[in-house]
Amino acid sequence: MRTLTQTVLRPLVAVGGEQAVLAVAGCIISNACFVAAAVTLYALGQYTLRNERLAYIASLLFVFAPSNMFMSAVYTESLFAWLVFSAMLCIARRQHVVASLLLCASSLCRSNGVMYAGYLVWDVVVRREAWIGKRWTQMVVRAVAAAGLVAVSVLGFVGFQIYGYRTHCLQPLYPNHPSRAYCDGLPATVYGFVQAEYWDVGFLRYYTWSQIPNFLLAAPMIVLSIAGIYTCAAHDPVRLATLGWKRRPSLQTASLDTAFLGNRLLPHIYLWVLLLA
């Protein structure tokens, strides 16, 4: 934001002031990342769904989702979405090193970026196709490689926590003030402390009577998610339960590669279940 303000948008500083131009720069960056995220999601949909129409519809639903007001705000949401979609696309194309670097950037951007490192583990060692024609020694090497890729992916998150701990605990901005509880807890996570201390976020804390209106607002998405997961599970519960290693005997092989019910979508279904839970 500051770089954009001091270069391309510098003439506007004399008119509106630096703070206003910084806000404009932030909006420009967020919207550019939003567009890039939508385009990347479309490419990912084409590769994963093998159906251009469904990929296009998925991208449109992403663009016009009511919650996407955050994508145009000066916030990390659009940048995070672009990084994660790009990483998923790289993983689908077997570009694992590039994907791990993108996930590293995403975990620096937002802490829940570490969760998407699971896609690397899935693609390198879990999916059935990764084992075909491999000896056990080759799979050990792949497992070690997967661990290395995951380590790179979470470096952004770890680096931010180290920076936060150093800034607020080892070299505090206000040395005369008493240290916060954040500095005494291990592991010391900035985001977790802020959520618990100021947002009252924690295990089962959200489930209160006062949150009923928010649950009602989320009800359509919850119902759609349950319906989507159920459709995939009902199509072949054996495949879903065995991480794609087995399938229902009566299932036609051709149907495994068709759109929403294809094997390529399995890790996304598991993530869907996790996010819904």
Side-chain angles (χ1 to χ4, degrees):
M1 287 171 53
R2 192 168 298 279
T3 300
L4 188 61
T5 300
Q6 294 176 349
T7 54
V8 179
L9 301 179
R10 187 174 181 82
L12 298 178
V13 175
V15 179
E18 186 176 6
Q19 292 300 317
V21 178
L22 277 171
V24 172
C27 288
I28 292 173
I29 294 172
S30 292
N31 281 277
C33 290
F34 185 25
V35 173
V39 173
T40 306
L41 179 61
Y42 175 67
L44 177 64
Q46 284 185 305
Y47 191 91
T48 305
L49 299 170
R50 296 298 179 91
N51 187 305
E52 186 174 356
R53 181 172 178 272
L54 279 182
Y56 181 68
I57 291 174
S59 299
L60 286 181
L61 290 174
F62 170 71
V63 169
F64 293 109
S67 60
N68 276 348
M69 60 182 178
F70 294 107
M71 293 292 187
S72 298
V74 185
Y75 193 50
T76 58
E77 195 76 42
S78 55
L79 175 60
F80 178 76
W82 179 34
L83 291 170
V84 168
F85 292 158
S86 298
M88 288 180 178
L89 183 58
C90 287
I91 293 171
R93 293 172 174 172
R94 309 291 183 263
Q95 299 169 339
H96 297 129
V97 174
V98 177
S100 67
L101 293 175
L102 288 168
L103 289 176
C104 176
S106 76
S107 68
L108 176 62
C109 183
R110 299 194 66 175
S111 61
N112 54 344
V114 300
M115 178 173 59
Y116 294 89
Y119 278 91
L120 287 166
V121 177
W122 170 274
D123 200 67
V124 177
V125 295
V126 175
R127 63 185 180 91
R128 182 175 178 273
E129 293 79 4
W131 289 75
I132 295 176
K134 302 290 193 307
R135 297 191 300 271
W136 71 269
T137 52
Q138 291 175 301
M139 291 312 301
V140 170
V141 172
R142 290 179 69 90
V144 172
L149 291 169
V150 170
V152 172
S153 300
V154 303
L155 275 179
F157 171 77
V158 173
F160 185 77
Q161 304 313 315
I162 293 174
Y163 170 79
Y165 188 79
R166 180 180 178 182
T167 301
H168 298 289
C169 303
L170 299 182
Q171 298 175 353
L173 297 175
Y174 305 101
N176 296 328
H177 287 212
S179 63
R180 305 300 302 274
Y182 156 73
C183 298
D184 300 325
L186 289 175
T189 59
V190 177
Y191 196 58
F193 172 75
V194 170
Q195 283 187 317
E197 183 75 9
Y198 300 106
W199 302 349
D200 196 31
V201 174
F203 182 66
L204 297 180
R205 289 188 190 177
Y206 193 77
Y207 296 91
T208 60
W209 292 108
S210 61
Q211 296 295 342
I212 289 179
N214 290 328
F215 280 108
L216 292 176
L217 287 173
M221 185 58 67
I222 294 174
V223 172
L224 286 172
S225 296
I226 293 174
I229 294 169
Y230 174 79
T231 300
C232 183
H235 175 71
D236 189 356
V238 176
R239 181 183 59 169
L240 197 68
T242 61
L243 302 179
W245 277 73
K246 295 183 179 180
R247 65 174 185 268
R248 195 173 61 196
S250 60
L251 192 67
Q252 295 296 322
T253 304
S255 66
L256 294 177
D257 294 318
T258 56
F260 179 70
L261 302 175
N263 267 356
R264 294 172 182 266
L265 210 65
L266 267 182
H268 302 282
I269 298 298
Y270 295 130
L271 176 64
W272 202 358
V273 173
L274 180 62
L275 293 176
L276 184 61

